[in-house]
Each structure stands twice: as C-alpha cells, then as structure tokens.
Amino acid sequence: MKTFKKIDVFLILAVILITVFFALKANNREDEIFLVKLDGKIYTELKKPGDYPVKDKEGKILTIVHYDGENVWVTDSTCPLKICEKTGKIKRGGKIICVPNKIVIESQTQELQTW
Amino acid sequence: MRSQQDSNRVTNSRTTNVVIYSLLISISSVMFVVERFIPYPVPGGKWGFSNFVILYTVVNIGLRGGLLVGTLKTIIGSLFSGILFTPPFFMGFFGIISAATFEWIFSKTKFFSYTTLSIIGMISNNFVQVLVGSFLIKSRAIFSFLPLMIGLGLISAIINAYLAKKMEEIIDENNFGLKISKKD
C-alpha cells in the first residue's frame, strides 16, 4: 500500500476547509452571560464578579469558579488531571469543560424577557 | 520446490502470534505513555502518535489484530499513566475501536492510501471521543472542540501514515524470521 496518492491532497484540503469554516463560525458577542452547568442542568449564572463554588448534592465543593467581569477561570478543582484549571481564562464564546465532575462553563445568549 | 527463505520461516504457530502481538502492543503502549510529554495546544488533548501501530496492524494483519492491539494498548498505557477507568480512558477506548473498524473497512477496497486511511481513522476517533464525552457530561458543549481537534489531528494523521509505512518497510525487510499471518 502506498503512503500518499494524488486524491489525498483533495481530502486534506477538504478537511482544512471544513475546519476553518467551523472555526470562523464561532463569534463573540457582548450580550452573553456565563452559565455553569452541572450534570447537564444549569447550576448558576455568573452575573457579578466574584468566586462561585460549585457543590454537589452532598455539599462537597467540586470546583471554584472565578469571574472578574471579563474573563472566567477555574481556580481550584478536585478532578485528577486538572484540565479545567489548565484551560486558563476564557472570554465570551469560550468553554471550560470538566469531564470527571460533569461541569460545563459556557456563555449563552441572554433570553429576552417579554413580560 | 521451496526456496531457502521459506524453509527458514517459523511456522505460524501460537508462539509466533504471541511474539508479534506483544511487539506491536509494547511499541504502541510505550508511545501512548511518552506522547503525553509532547506539548499540545489544547489542554487534556494528545497528539495520538501511538495510533500508527493500529494503522499498520489493521492493514497488514486484519480487524481482529487491530482491535486486540488497540484495546490492550489503551488498557496498558492507561495503567502506566494512571488514568485507567477514568473518563479520558473510556473516550480513548471507544475512539480507538471505531478508528480500527473504519480503517479496516476502507482498507478492504484497495483504493485508498495510508494517508487517507489515517485521516479517516482520525476523524472517526475524534468524533466518537467527543460523542462519548458528551454522554458523560450530558451536554453538547464539548462538540465545539471538534473542529480544533480535527484540524490538529490532520498533522498527526499525516505523520502516522508516514510512520506506518516506515514500520511496514522495516518489518518486511528483516522479517525476524517470522511471517505475519493475514487473517480477518
């Protein structure tokens, strides 16, 4: 079997184009608020700057989320690999995902209140 | 009349298979542990260079061999790096099973090259990893990492194709007195 064929150039170009298309699609908007989701449900909304501890049902602290009005980052976590801490600061449009604790921190467009 | 080389070959016994598979599994699980120390821009991600052994095995031995090497590589490599039965382990485990299956299906057509198979395996691996991750955290947010993972995986897929071809050349040149059995 050969290492490389001419058809591979088209495949590589197609993959690059699709990647660039989806990468450019993600845009940052100012009217978004940060949400902390635990196990798929909304745990808290980050509106004011400060520290937000995320606790499980038994009251044990899983993660401490810090918000300074502009960026969000995780200061402490109980997960073994500390991937959420290494993700660093995220702006609106970014995401922090902690798989062992099932925590997702993402920004979402604010729902219009029409009443 | 049999040639000199053929008469020197060891018959393809159970021992031969044990030697071949242990060689492949040890190479890939060492790569699995070592590649964690190669810098990667996404936190928690890996380049995935250990998958060139799976590519070689699937093309040259068959699906059963590829699944065996893939599963044992993930289990042994996770045991050494301390992530056995954690969420990243399950993501990698199901990812490598899907990658081996897709690479085997497309290798049967004799139309694709190593690079194509490597890219197909990389895309299916990343997609299944993200799918398993989204089931674990019950959120679709993790899918936003997929374009970045596929874009960076393209680099390692091309390197893996080169490494698999190199491995095939080396094993064919001095085939250790062994004949790798082709069975599915």
Side-chain angles (χ1 to χ4, degrees):
Chain A
M1 190 173 281
K2 283 182 183 173
T3 320
F4 204 78
K5 282 184 179 177
K6 274 183 184 172
I7 195 170
D8 292 342
V9 179
F10 295 103
L11 186 75
I12 291 167
L13 282 178
V15 172
I16 290 172
L17 278 179
I18 292 167
T19 313
V20 169
F21 174 74
F22 278 104
L24 290 178
K25 223 179 141 188
N27 52 351
N28 299 344
R29 271 186 282 173
E30 285 299 310
D31 59 335
E32 289 185 335
I33 51 164
F34 283 105
L35 292 175
V36 179
K37 288 181 183 174
L38 178 64
D39 205 3
K41 291 162 200 151
I42 294 171
Y43 181 81
T44 182
E45 292 176 359
L46 309 186
K47 284 176 178 168
K48 291 174 191 168
D51 282 325
Y52 293 84
V54 181
K55 295 172 185 171
D56 64 357
K57 283 170 189 169
E58 290 149 15
K60 187 188 158 204
I61 293 177
L62 298 174
T63 303
I64 296 172
V65 183
H66 190 83
Y67 178 47
D68 68 347
E70 188 77 19
N71 302 321
V72 172
W73 66 95
V74 174
T75 50
D76 279 300
S77 178
T78 56
C79 52
L81 296 175
K82 311 282 181 200
I83 290 167
C84 41
E85 285 181 33
K86 287 174 194 160
T87 308
K89 296 178 181 182
I90 58 159
K91 289 178 181 168
R92 286 177 178 80
K95 287 179 180 67
I96 296 177
I97 292 168
C98 181
V99 179
N101 289 337
K102 297 180 183 175
I103 291 170
V104 176
I105 303 157
E106 60 177 340
S107 60
Q108 214 170 55
T109 315
Q110 242 169 334
E111 284 177 26
L112 284 172
Q113 291 190 330
T114 49
W115 64 85
Chain B
M1 194 175 175
R2 289 162 75 189
S3 65
Q4 182 67 31
Q5 201 188 3
D6 276 346
S7 60
N8 284 340
R9 274 180 184 153
V10 179
T11 49
N12 199 8
S13 64
R14 200 177 163 80
T15 322
T16 323
N17 278 336
V18 167
V19 171
I20 292 168
Y21 283 124
S22 53
L23 185 76
L24 294 171
I25 292 165
S26 55
I27 291 171
S28 55
S29 36
V30 164
M31 276 307 281
F32 189 92
V33 176
V34 168
E35 73 182 352
R36 287 184 60 187
F37 302 107
I38 305 171
Y40 188 72
V42 181
K46 277 197 311 180
W47 284 108
F49 291 136
S50 64
N51 297 337
F52 79 91
V53 185
I54 316 297
L55 183 61
Y56 168 81
T57 316
V58 164
V59 171
N60 287 288
I61 297 179
L63 180 63
R64 268 203 298 183
L67 289 178
L68 183 72
V69 175
T71 48
L72 284 175
K73 169 209 105 170
T74 318
I75 292 172
I76 294 170
S78 307
L79 194 65
F80 283 133
S81 49
I83 58 162
L84 193 62
F85 300 131
T86 55
F89 165 77
F90 288 109
M91 288 162 75
F93 186 77
F94 289 109
I96 203 70
I97 287 173
S98 80
T101 314
F102 275 100
E103 280 170 1
W104 179 73
I105 291 168
F106 283 96
S107 73
K108 285 285 126 183
T109 58
K110 307 281 179 195
F111 179 68
F112 298 103
S113 63
Y114 269 122
T115 314
T116 323
L117 292 178
S118 187
I119 291 172
I120 289 166
M122 176 273 293
I123 291 173
S124 71
N125 191 345
N126 281 339
F127 187 77
V128 169
Q129 273 190 21
V130 168
L131 199 67
V132 171
S134 74
F135 277 119
L136 287 174
I137 61 169
K138 292 174 188 166
S139 164
R140 274 179 285 172
I142 200 167
F143 271 98
S144 63
F145 287 128
L146 196 58
L148 185 63
M149 284 164 79
I150 287 178
L152 288 167
L154 201 60
I155 301 165
S156 56
I158 292 167
I159 295 172
N160 277 348
Y162 177 75
L163 288 174
K165 179 66 182 173
K166 209 74 191 164
M167 192 173 175
E168 189 190 85
E169 281 172 9
I170 289 169
I171 288 185
D172 284 352
E173 270 174 25
N174 38 14
N175 58 3
F176 309 114
L178 305 171
K179 185 177 179 293
I180 289 180
S181 64
K182 287 219 180 199
K183 54 182 176 181
D184 299 321

